[in-house]
Amino acid sequence: MRVLFAAPHGYWSRWAPALQAACPEMTLLRESDPAVIDAIIYAPGGEISDLSPYVNARLVQSLWAGVERIVTNPTLTQPLARMVDPGLAQGMAEFCTGWAMRAHLGMDAYAQDGEWRNHLVPPLASETPVTILGTGELGRSVAAMLGGIGFPVTGFSASGRAVPGMRVLGADQLAEALTGARILINLLPDTAATRNLLDAARLALLPQGAWLINPGRGTVLDEDALIEALDSGHLGHAVLDVFRTEPLPPEHPFWGHPGVTVTPHIAAETRPETAAPVAADNLLRAMAGQPILHLVDRAKGY
């Protein structure tokens, strides 16, 4: 099996050993005659953007969970699989849980200034409802961790498809999902339907003092509307890990806003040691003509 590694140069040293160890049947190549390539391992930023010569490739396996930078490529005719990495899901769950606990416990209320504020007693997790926008692999992992602590978790997805152990609301119930959230976590993908979903009108539906945690996609959020909601005191705080422009420009108002915590797109990382076996499984499935896991729906964009 000849597999083309179509990813930025810096990926090779980290990914090649893990991929080859996970799939000894594979010959991993950085360049080759397109006609002999059986599958492609892909990440945005590599040298290859035209996939049309790879007529014999049975699979394009993304190394990223998000596929918005390849799914619209008009030269992509091969099946495309997104990466569902258990290490990434674990990292995302830990990130969201950590910041949710900061919001829930009111950790910022205890200034180290000599004042004894023992009247500020944190609530129990059962008193702090959380809504997660997006109930895919990442959303379910976050919900499981938060639910295990005792938070009442509601999920939202366009389909409203049931998820065991979590209340899920569908496309026509977004207002209900927002009004019930003391903490809102966005894990929606970047699609035409999700861009600017969290605009001024929808942010206004959140309860007074609610927190927003966004490690999903920056395009979901109307940045100006968020600043207005924070300045008015309607929202308590926003933890933002993803942005429309990355790196976030130094002059961007988020950097200096007291109601915003900026993290530099580090909420979750695809880890070669946990992701390589997932890619290997899909490569072997493609070669054997078996169903491919995590296949992307081109119409939906994810």
Side-chain angles (χ1 to χ4, degrees), residues 1-288:
M1 175 180 17
R2 297 180 180 88
V3 179
L4 180 69
F5 189 77
H9 287 298
Y11 280 48
W12 179 261
S13 61
R14 296 176 55 236
W15 280 94
L19 287 167
Q20 290 171 329
C23 191
E25 302 89 340
M26 168 183 64
T27 300
L28 192 62
L29 304 166
R30 300 179 78 171
E31 58 182 27
S32 179
D33 175 3
V36 305
I37 293 298
D38 297 308
I40 299 170
I41 300 286
Y42 181 88
E47 296 179 357
I48 296 171
S49 58
D50 183 3
L51 300 171
S52 57
Y54 300 91
V55 293
N56 295 317
R58 303 183 193 181
L59 172 67
V60 175
Q61 172 65 58
S62 174
L63 293 181
W64 287 16
V67 293
E68 63 272 9
R69 290 179 59 181
I70 183 176
V71 72
T72 57
N73 186 326
T75 70
L76 175 69
T77 58
Q78 305 86 349
L80 171 67
R82 59 191 174 86
M83 174 54 67
V84 176
D85 169 24
L88 184 148
Q90 176 73 15
M92 182 64 80
E94 292 178 3
F95 178 92
C96 292
T97 298
W99 289 105
M101 289 299 292
R102 173 184 168 186
H104 161 65
L105 294 175
M107 291 179 177
D108 299 321
Y110 305 101
Q112 303 301 291
D113 56 3
E115 182 177 345
W116 190 251
R117 297 179 175 87
N118 69 333
H119 63 288
L120 300 177
V121 179
L124 297 175
S126 58
E127 302 171 52
T128 304
V130 177
T131 291
I132 300 173
L133 303 181
T135 58
E137 296 285 339
L138 297 181
R140 293 196 295 271
S141 294
V142 173
M145 190 172 287
L146 290 173
I149 296 171
F151 289 97
V153 179
T154 296
F156 167 84
S157 69
S159 68
R161 187 178 297 113
V163 174
M166 176 169 50
R167 172 178 177 246
V168 179
L169 302 177
D172 60 349
Q173 297 172 294
L174 179 57
E176 182 180 350
L178 296 175
T179 55
R182 296 297 309 170
I183 300 172
L184 178 67
I185 300 173
N186 174 55
L187 291 170
L188 290 169
D190 174 24
T191 69
T194 65
R195 287 170 200 141
N196 290 313
L197 185 74
L198 296 179
D199 58 11
R202 293 191 175 106
L203 290 175
L205 294 175
L206 290 166
Q208 182 79 23
W211 276 50
L212 168 66
I213 301 171
N214 185 19
R217 287 292 180 261
T219 53
V220 174
L221 179 64
D222 182 329
E223 295 183 348
D224 292 336
L226 174 63
I227 290 176
E228 290 176 6
L230 291 166
D231 287 346
S232 70
H234 180 68
L235 293 187
H237 200 82
V239 180
L240 307 177
D241 186 61
V242 288
F243 308 91
R244 292 173 183 268
T245 301
E246 294 185 6
L248 188 67
E251 65 276 10
H252 196 286
F254 281 162
W255 283 113
H257 198 289
V260 175
T261 298
V262 171
T263 58
H265 204 144
I266 47 76
E269 176 78 4
T270 302
R271 293 166 167 81
E273 60 272 18
T274 53
V278 177
D281 185 18
N282 253 358
L283 291 170
L284 295 173
R285 285 171 173 270
M287 294 304 104

